[in-house]
């Protein structure tokens, strides 16, 4: 088989679907920040989950060893992906499952719709799945006259409200209990008009609403959290039992999964089933995990399908610096700790994947040239909280910086990067590469003081530098540079620019001594 | 070119730099020295934390305990292969009708939905996480029976309880249809506060059976 691939084009093929931001992040963030209710809801929810996560993570003496295991297993998977995909396919097929490969969102959608039609039905029940969000499956099925019923409580809330998810684990995190009650009262057929905003009552209303659907559905659509190459086993991790309903009761099960979700072997599950629940819902273990291997005689669906989705993953894999973003297990810990996400919420990121992981994953899947996604790597203060929280140790800040570099490079020469920026960078490079030149540049400091005026603040810079002063003032520069001060104070005894206590060639790194 | 070959070709092209494939670093805990008593205590603590009800009994007390739990219940589903020594003696009045679900005569979904409870055995349990694992072996039944009834009574044998997840998974055949259960159905979808009871059984009752003495 491998001969077939000789001479394959090596240009990465990027993904499509709901992974493109539809406006630049700063504009979207500005709008979302105006919503005080949203900020209050998010602040409450992310604080709750952060505390829970810290508590259950602290319980495990071997947490760091588990993270290291998770990271090395995923590196191993990415390096061996072609071989593992073929191994998985062979095992899944041998157990009675059918595999469909999908190059992009459109191909995956068309495959699912054809499989649904084959069963002669016009509705499906769905388990929450990021992959189907990413490809816009529900919208596509609706166009095709097939109704998709979301069964996860938060997805149901979002679907009933004709809204979009804003968090990968809790898509309705931006809604508080009263808003949820109002949505149910407005949109849920046959709901008890005396429904209160007690979360237990709301969960009960969802149970009643979906019970009949579960017991009569012929076709279910799911995602998958893990796929084990050595056995062809798929896993879905969930809480409510809606997953078990969809994976067990219908005759036909169609799963859509990204090609990066593989794990080499059964044993690897022992690592990820410890990392995922603690990182996502802050529980020692999620209430339900289902594992199935093809078709099981007398137990569960008779027709078991899997759509293996590329949609830009191979392009992300081709980026040596960025490929570890594919290690992501969709736990959402990074967004729960992110100071930017906590304030803007998930909608500001535009893509199915919000928060720090979305800020790297979306542009990696679409390519940095995708206009509005090029703003996502800047949606971060680079504080590093996401890296600390990530259960598989994805170095998100490093990849953000890498993608910023890609963005600048991609705009250079296309006339999109202001030539002033290039000129300024070249000037800085010239000045900073020699002490003598820096000294010359520093002679201009008094000019800055003049510009700052009596309040000693520079409030607007000219040209592209105006971006810097748009939301902050620059304090007036000091009357004298540090180097000039040092010469004046210590010039006599050091002679060669070396102060007492500092080894040869090394001045103080910061501040005044 | 078909989608399969094209995707595999893209993935191979993406890996032209031949990145290293490190061996997984397995320095985390994989074995435990906990006594049976300590494992039972930890499992009970974790299950109770997730709002399951738990009883710890000696081998001879299982049937009696289950009879008490089922008193007043309508119909109870029991899978083929369930240990008959654990079934309540049929006293005629207080004990509900037990209906067997067997591969040769599976009950309908409507019948499962109408049942008051389901009674199953289990394949393994993890004390550290409060997890019970069913793998569809005789006595545990197909997945639907422990899902549709609103009340699941599950028998866990002490010898099947591991402290750690790696120990429990090592005992299982991953190609069987497996369900891992940690407490009753729950959701954290509204304001990230956990609420028990959504689509799966809202009541999980666990009978832990100590190993026979000697």
């Amino acid at each position: 088989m491998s001969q077939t691939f000789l001479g394959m084009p090596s240009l990465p093929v990027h993904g499509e679907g709901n992974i493109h931001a539809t406006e630049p992040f700063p504009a979207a963030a500005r709008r979302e920040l105006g919503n005080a209710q949203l900020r209050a809801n998010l602040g409450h929810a992310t604080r709750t989950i952060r505390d829970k996560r810290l508590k259950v993570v602290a319980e495990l003496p071997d947490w760091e060893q588990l993270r290291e295991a998770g990271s090395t297993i995923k590196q191993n998977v990415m390096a061996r992906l072609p071989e593992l995909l073929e191994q998985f396919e062979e095992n899944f097929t041998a157990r009675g499952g059918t595999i469909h490969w999908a190059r992009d969102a459109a191909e995956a959608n068309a495959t699912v719709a054809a499989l649904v039609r084959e069963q002669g039905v016009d509705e499906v029940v769905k388990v929450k799945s990021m992959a189907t969000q990413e490809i816009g499956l529900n919208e596509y099925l609706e166009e095709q006259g097939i109704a998709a019923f979301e069964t996860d409580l938060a997805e149901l809330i979002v679907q009933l409200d004709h809204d979009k998810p804003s968090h990968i684990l809790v898509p309705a995190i931006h809604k508080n209990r009263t808003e949820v009650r109002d949505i149910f009262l407005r949109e849920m057929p046959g709901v008890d008009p005396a429904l209160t905003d007690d979360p237990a009552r709301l969960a009960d209303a969802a149970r009643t609403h979906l019970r009949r659907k579960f017991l009569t559905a012929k076709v279910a659509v799911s995602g998958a959290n893990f796929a084990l190459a050595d056995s062809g086993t798929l896993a879905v991790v969930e809480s409510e039992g809606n997953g078990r309903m969809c994976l067990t009761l219908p005759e036909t099960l169609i799963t859509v999964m990204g090609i990066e979700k593989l794990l080499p072997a059964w044993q690897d599950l022992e690592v990820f089933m410890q990392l995922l629940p603690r990182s996502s819902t802050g529980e020692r273990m999620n209430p339900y995990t289902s594992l199935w291997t093809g078709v099981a005689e007398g137990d569960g669906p008779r027709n078991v399908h899997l759509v293996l989705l590329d949609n830009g993953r191979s392009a992300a894999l081709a980026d040596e610096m960025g490929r570890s973003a594919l290690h992501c297990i969709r736990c959402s810990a990074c967004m729960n700790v992110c100071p930017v996400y906590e304030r803007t919420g998930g909608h500001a990121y535009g893509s199915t994947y919000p928060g720090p992981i979305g800020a790297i994953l979306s542009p990696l899947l679409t390519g940095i040239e995708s206009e509005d996604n090029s703003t996502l790597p800047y949606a971060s203060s680079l504080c590093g909280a996401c890296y600390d929280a990530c259960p598989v140790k994805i170095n998100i800040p490093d990849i953000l910086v890498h993608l910023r570099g890609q963005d600048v490079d991609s705009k250079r020469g296309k006339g999109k990067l202001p030539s002033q920026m290039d000129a300024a960078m070249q000037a800085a490079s010239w000045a900073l590469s020699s002490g003598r030149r820096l000294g010359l540049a520093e002679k201009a400091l008094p000019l800055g003081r003049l510009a700052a005026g009596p309040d000693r603040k520079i409030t607007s810079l000219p040209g592209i530098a105006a971006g810097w002063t748009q939301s902050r003032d620059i304090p007036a520069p000091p009357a004298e540079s540090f180097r000039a001060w040092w010469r004046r104070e210590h010039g006599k005894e050091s002679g060669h620019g070396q102060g007492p206590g500092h080894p040869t060639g090394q001045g103080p790194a910061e501040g005044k001594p | 070119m078909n989608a399969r070959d094209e995707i595999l070709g893209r993935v191979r092209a993406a890996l032209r730099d031949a990145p290293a494939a490190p061996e997984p670093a397995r320095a985390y805990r994989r074995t435990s020295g906990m006594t049976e008593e300590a494992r039972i205590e930890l499992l009970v603590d974790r299950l109770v934390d997730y709002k399951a009800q738990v009883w710890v009994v000696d081998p001879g007390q299982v049937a009696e305990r289950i009879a008490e739990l089922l008193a007043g219940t309508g119909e109870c589903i029991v899978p083929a292969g369930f240990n008959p020594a654990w079934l309540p003696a049929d006293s005629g009045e207080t004990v509900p009708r037990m209906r067997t679900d067997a591969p040769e005569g599976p009950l309908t979904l409507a019948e499962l939905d109408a049942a008051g409870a389901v009674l199953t055995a289990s394949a393994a349990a993890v004390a550290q996480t409060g997890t019970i694992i069913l793998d569809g072996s005789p006595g545990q039944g197909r997945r639907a029976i422990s899902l549709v009834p609103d009340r699941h009574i599950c028998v866990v044998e002490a010898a099947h309880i591991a402290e750690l997840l790696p120990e429990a998974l090592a005992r299982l055949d991953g190609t069987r249809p497996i369900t891992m259960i940690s407490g009753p159905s729950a959701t954290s979808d509204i304001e990230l506060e956990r609420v028990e009871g959504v689509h799966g059984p809202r009541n999980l009752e666990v009978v832990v059976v100590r190993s026979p003495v000697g």
Side-chain angles (χ1 to χ4, degrees), chain A residues 132-357:
Chain A
T132 61
Q133 277 292 345
E134 171 189 325
I135 61 176
L137 179 66
N138 290 6
E139 297 86 329
Y140 178 80
L141 290 179
E142 196 181 336
E143 285 167 22
Q144 301 293 310
I146 299 167
F149 293 91
E150 291 290 352
T151 62
D152 168 81
L153 178 54
E155 290 281 4
L156 175 69
I157 294 165
V158 167
Q159 191 178 42
L160 287 176
D161 197 35
H162 315 287
D163 193 6
K164 284 167 108 177
S166 72
H167 187 277
I168 65 176
L169 173 74
V170 195
I173 194 170
H174 56 293
K175 302 281 185 200
N176 65 27
R177 60 187 72 190
T178 311
E179 293 169 294
V180 173
R181 193 238 0 234
D182 294 345
I183 294 165
F184 280 13
L185 286 177
R186 195 176 69 234
E187 302 282 347
M188 196 179 261
V191 72
D192 175 6
L195 185 67
T196 69
D197 66 1
D198 172 11
R201 292 283 310 275
L202 296 169
D204 192 52
R207 179 186 169 97
T208 310
H209 174 65
L210 287 171
R211 188 82 183 168
R212 195 50 41 198
K213 279 271 173 273
F214 285 134
L215 297 182
T216 57
K218 295 274 179 251
V219 179
V221 175
S222 84
N225 293 89
F226 306 108
L228 308 177
D230 75 339
S231 58
T233 303
L234 291 171
V236 162
V237 176
E238 50 126 1
S239 295
E240 298 168 14
N242 64 310
R244 292 178 71 190
M245 291 278 180
C246 293
L247 302 171
T248 315
L249 302 187
E251 286 165 10
T252 300
L253 172 60
I254 305 164
T255 303
V256 181
M257 183 184 83
I259 53 173
E260 84 284 18
K261 291 276 173 183
L262 287 182
L263 296 178
W266 172 252
Q267 198 195 358
D268 300 313
L269 211 54
E270 71 189 26
V271 175
F272 290 91
M273 285 309 299
Q274 295 193 69
L275 291 172
L276 180 55
R278 286 179 204 257
S279 299
S280 59
T281 50
E283 292 167 308
R284 297 185 181 107
M285 189 65 86
N286 52 293
Y288 299 131
T289 298
S290 296
L291 295 149
W292 71 101
T293 308
V295 178
E297 187 56 38
D299 189 346
R302 317 275 74 221
N303 314 307
V304 175
H305 296 272
L306 175 67
V307 180
L308 276 173
L309 178 71
D310 180 354
N311 204 37
R313 284 160 178 77
S314 55
L317 189 67
D319 185 325
E320 291 174 38
M321 273 290 292
R323 65 167 59 120
S324 63
L326 295 174
H327 298 184
C328 175
I329 56 173
R330 313 284 191 261
C331 72
S332 73
C334 63
M335 52 203 76
N336 296 333
V337 299
C338 178
V340 176
Y341 177 90
E342 185 179 345
R343 284 159 184 83
T344 66
H347 289 159
Y349 296 79
S351 158
T352 292
Y353 303 105
I357 186 64

Side-chain angles (χ1 to χ4, degrees), chain A residues 1-2 4-5 8-10 13 44-46 48-49 52 59-62 65-66 68-69 72-73 75-76 78-82 85-86 89 95 101-103 107 151-155 157 169-170 172-173 175-178 180 199-200 202-204 206-207 210-212 214-215 231 233 239-242 244-245 247-249 259 266-271 273-274 278 281 283-293 296 298-301 308 310-311 314 317-318 320 323, chain B residues 1-30 42 45-47 49-50 101-103 106 109-110 112-114 126-137 140-152 163-204:
Chain A
M1 276 311 286
S2 59
T4 319
F5 306 110
M8 275 294 298
S10 61
V13 183
H44 170 69
T46 53
T48 307
I49 192 71
K52 280 165 79 176
E59 271 181 15
L60 290 189
D62 53 348
Q65 285 81 4
L66 284 164
E68 185 59 26
T72 49
I73 291 168
Q75 282 175 56
N76 184 292
M78 294 312 148
R80 297 167 52 214
L81 195 53
L85 282 166
E86 286 181 326
E89 179 185 40
R95 293 270 179 171
W101 298 74
R103 280 166 275 224
E107 192 164 32
T151 62
D152 168 81
L153 178 54
E155 290 281 4
I157 294 165
L169 173 74
V170 195
I173 194 170
K175 302 281 185 200
N176 65 27
R177 60 187 72 190
T178 311
V180 173
L202 296 169
D204 192 52
R207 179 186 169 97
L210 287 171
R211 188 82 183 168
R212 195 50 41 198
F214 285 134
L215 297 182
S231 58
T233 303
S239 295
E240 298 168 14
N242 64 310
R244 292 178 71 190
M245 291 278 180
L247 302 171
T248 315
L249 302 187
I259 53 173
W266 172 252
Q267 198 195 358
D268 300 313
L269 211 54
E270 71 189 26
V271 175
M273 285 309 299
Q274 295 193 69
R278 286 179 204 257
T281 50
E283 292 167 308
R284 297 185 181 107
M285 189 65 86
N286 52 293
Y288 299 131
T289 298
S290 296
L291 295 149
W292 71 101
T293 308
D299 189 346
L308 276 173
D310 180 354
N311 204 37
S314 55
L317 189 67
E320 291 174 38
R323 65 167 59 120
Chain B
M1 191 180 294
N2 67 39
R4 176 188 186 277
D5 292 350
E6 190 167 335
I7 292 170
L8 285 170
R10 289 176 185 175
V11 172
R12 287 197 172 92
L15 294 169
R16 279 211 178 127
D17 60 313
E23 274 305 302
R26 299 196 195 273
Y28 53 90
R29 290 182 72 205
R30 305 197 62 239
L42 185 60
D45 176 76
R46 299 294 149 93
L47 283 168
D49 191 39
Y50 283 157
D101 182 77
L109 281 183
L112 295 180
D113 196 28
V126 184
Q128 192 187 47
T129 58
T131 303
I132 297 167
I133 306 176
L134 272 58
D135 70 358
S137 299
Q140 299 168 36
R142 60 194 169 110
R143 288 172 289 171
I145 67 161
S146 54
L147 171 64
V148 177
D150 203 12
R151 184 176 175 204
H152 182 193
E163 184 205 344
L164 306 172
L165 182 70
E167 296 174 301
L169 292 186
R171 296 175 193 171
L172 296 168
D173 170 3
T175 61
R176 299 191 62 84
I178 288 176
T179 307
M180 297 167 62
I181 298 170
S182 308
S185 149
T187 183
S188 305
D189 277 356
I190 299 169
E191 300 182 12
L192 278 165
E193 278 174 25
R194 186 176 157 116
V195 175
E196 278 76 20
V198 200
H199 303 294
R202 287 181 285 191
N203 304 286
L204 176 66

